[in-house]
Amino acid sequence: MDPVNLTYYAVVCGGLAAYAPNCRNVIVRTAVGLGLGGASAAMLPVVHFFLGF
C-alpha cells in the first residue's frame, strides 16, 4: 500500500475521532483515530486479497 494512502486514512480517521464526544481528552481521541486509521488502511490489501479483488 502506498504511504500516501496510509497517511490519508490515518489523518481522516484522526480528524473524525477528534470530534467524537465519547472521550474528553482530544489528544487521546486523535491518537487512537490516527492509529486505527493507519491500521485499517494497512489491512486493505489483505481484505482485497481474501475477497478476490
Side-chain angles (χ1 to χ4, degrees):
M1 173 141 251
D2 185 18
V4 174
N5 291 338
L6 288 171
T7 305
Y8 173 75
Y9 282 109
V11 168
V12 169
C13 289
L16 290 173
Y19 291 105
N22 293 342
C23 183
R24 295 179 187 207
N25 192 344
V26 176
I27 296 172
V28 172
R29 285 190 306 225
T30 304
V32 169
L34 287 171
L36 290 176
S40 63
M43 293 300 295
L44 282 175
V46 176
V47 172
H48 281 254
F49 173 76
F50 283 119
L51 292 177
F53 293 124

